[in-house]
Amino acid sequence: MSKAGNKVLCVGICCLDIVMYCKSYPLEDSDQKCLFHKWQRGGNASNNCTIFAEFNFPCEILGAMSYDIGGQFMKKNFEEHGIPIENCRFYEEYESPTSTVWINLQNGSRTIVHSNKNMPEVSFEDFKLLNLNNYSWIHFECRPNVENMKKMIQHIREWNLEEGRDSIKVSIEIEQPRLEFMEFLSLGDIVFISKDFASACSYSDMISAVEALCSKLSHGGVIVCAWGEKGACAKTVDGPVVFTEAYPPAEIVTTLGAGDTFVVATIMALCKGQSLAEAINTGCRVAGAKCGMSDSKGLAKLFPSLM
């Protein structure tokens, strides 16, 4: 891919993660030491960009950030990864969203306590300032600013309809179990739904979820659902369900970021011309490998075909 006009734009939250690696899950009202800890960037859209950058896949983040110490850490880290942030809005008066993450090294589980005190969501006014000629794909993390997101997607659709313009693909990740996000199923070319969202919609497995919810897709739309250790499946409006198994590593270090990795690997695979079935299989392979690592450094070397 050339850099001009082929970037993936990720729209969503930028969060400071304070990650504690523990021998076991901490007991309530206890006092114990972790084995080690680190600061890192978090938030789905921010994590998506980290994986794209690991594979040298042109990307950009659009998020709201603070000038506080957390924001300065994230700004420097984005720059170190070569991820453009020039269209992000920086605020003096708001604090960076922050998550404390406990990693249980006995089984790799991650428990997240999130705080977002007052940081605004990305606004439609900021989105309108973008030069859409720079992007071939725009990925949205579903956030509470529902009306703003709808306006952004409509803006892209109108841009796509203008004569002589190349189409921008729109993908949407619905992770939070919020039923008001149901309307986004009809707004994306590809919609990724989480196990939590499917469960909130009263589905107990991924296949029944995609079979039922695909009726809400727009013409030509695709729905994808990953279900942890059970793998992932996907479906178009009028096509069969395609399924892939999971690929857990020999030893799980942490599942933190696995879902974000699955989304990115699937998108990259589709951009490389893989079929839907092949793409979700690639997504599960890359996400599985990520679960065996404490971060994403070196992940691309395991999958050179995606670079």
Side-chain angles (χ1 to χ4, degrees):
M1 297 176 70
S2 65
K3 291 186 178 180
N6 282 297
K7 285 193 293 187
V8 177
L9 177 70
C10 297
V11 183
I13 193 172
C14 300
C15 175
L16 173 65
D17 283 357
I18 302 172
V19 186
M20 306 284 187
Y21 290 83
C22 306
K23 286 183 178 180
S24 60
Y25 185 78
L27 297 174
E28 185 178 359
D29 200 26
S30 67
D31 183 357
Q32 66 182 69
K33 284 188 175 181
C34 67
L35 297 177
F36 62 97
H37 83 281
K38 63 180 179 179
W39 282 24
Q40 64 185 41
R41 271 187 299 104
N44 292 23
S46 170
N47 291 341
N48 293 149
C49 284
T50 300
I51 302 301
F52 278 124
E54 167 66 19
F55 283 85
N56 293 320
F57 210 90
C59 68
E60 181 183 336
I61 183 72
L62 181 65
M65 297 178 67
S66 172
Y67 283 113
D68 66 8
I69 187 171
Q72 291 304 310
F73 171 85
M74 289 188 279
K75 178 179 181 293
K76 181 180 179 182
N77 195 262
F78 275 125
E79 292 169 348
E80 289 172 348
H81 281 82
I83 299 168
I85 59 171
E86 63 263 24
N87 289 305
C88 292
R89 171 72 68 91
F90 279 78
Y91 293 93
E92 290 274 7
E93 65 271 35
Y94 301 120
E95 298 179 13
S96 295
T98 304
S99 291
T100 303
V101 185
W102 288 273
I103 304 296
N104 179 357
L105 290 176
Q106 286 185 342
N107 58 14
S109 71
R110 88 288 182 275
T111 302
I112 302 172
V113 179
H114 180 65
S115 172
N116 188 351
K117 187 174 181 180
N118 52 18
M119 180 61 70
E121 301 288 345
V122 176
S123 70
F124 177 58
E125 287 68 30
D126 287 337
F127 188 83
K128 284 194 301 183
L129 298 176
L130 298 173
N131 180 357
L132 294 184
N133 285 295
N134 292 328
Y135 313 108
S136 61
W137 195 297
I138 298 181
H139 177 68
F140 291 90
E141 168 197 352
C142 259
R143 300 291 303 161
N145 57 333
V146 171
E147 293 306 315
N148 259 334
M149 284 187 58
K150 288 165 64 176
K151 290 178 182 178
M152 294 177 202
I153 295 170
Q154 181 60 31
H155 181 63
I156 298 168
R157 298 305 186 197
E158 291 171 357
W159 189 91
N160 280 343
L161 289 173
E162 291 186 19
E163 187 174 353
R165 298 284 175 87
D166 292 329
S167 292
I168 297 172
K169 288 283 188 183
V170 173
S171 56
I172 301 171
E173 180 187 15
I174 307 176
E175 181 183 48
Q176 297 178 18
R178 301 172 65 137
L179 293 181
E180 63 265 33
F181 289 164
M182 184 81 73
E183 60 185 307
F184 285 104
L185 290 169
S186 65
L187 299 180
D189 299 305
I190 300 176
V191 182
F192 296 87
I193 66 170
S194 69
K195 176 182 178 180
D196 288 345
F197 177 76
S199 297
C201 296
S202 301
Y203 301 107
S204 58
D205 65 273
M206 58 184 167
I207 292 179
S208 62
V210 300
E211 286 180 332
L213 295 175
C214 74
S215 63
K216 299 184 180 299
L217 299 174
S218 61
H219 177 71
V222 176
I223 186 170
V224 180
C225 182
W227 208 274
E229 70 280 0
K230 293 186 178 180
C233 67
K235 191 182 185 312
T236 58
V237 173
D238 52 4
V241 174
V242 294
F243 167 80
T244 181
E245 62 183 319
Y247 296 89
E251 181 179 357
I252 294 177
V253 175
T254 175
T255 57
L256 182 65
D260 302 322
T261 302
F262 170 80
V263 168
V264 170
T266 301
I267 290 173
M268 290 191 296
L270 290 170
C271 289
K272 295 288 185 179
Q274 292 187 16
S275 68
L276 182 58
E278 292 169 332
I280 63 170
N281 182 269
T282 296
C284 280
R285 287 182 183 276
V286 179
K290 170 63 184 67
C291 290
M293 307 166 67
S294 60
D295 57 37
S296 60
K297 292 178 182 177
L299 184 62
K301 294 179 181 179
L302 304 176
F303 302 92
S305 64
L306 286 179
M307 298 184 70

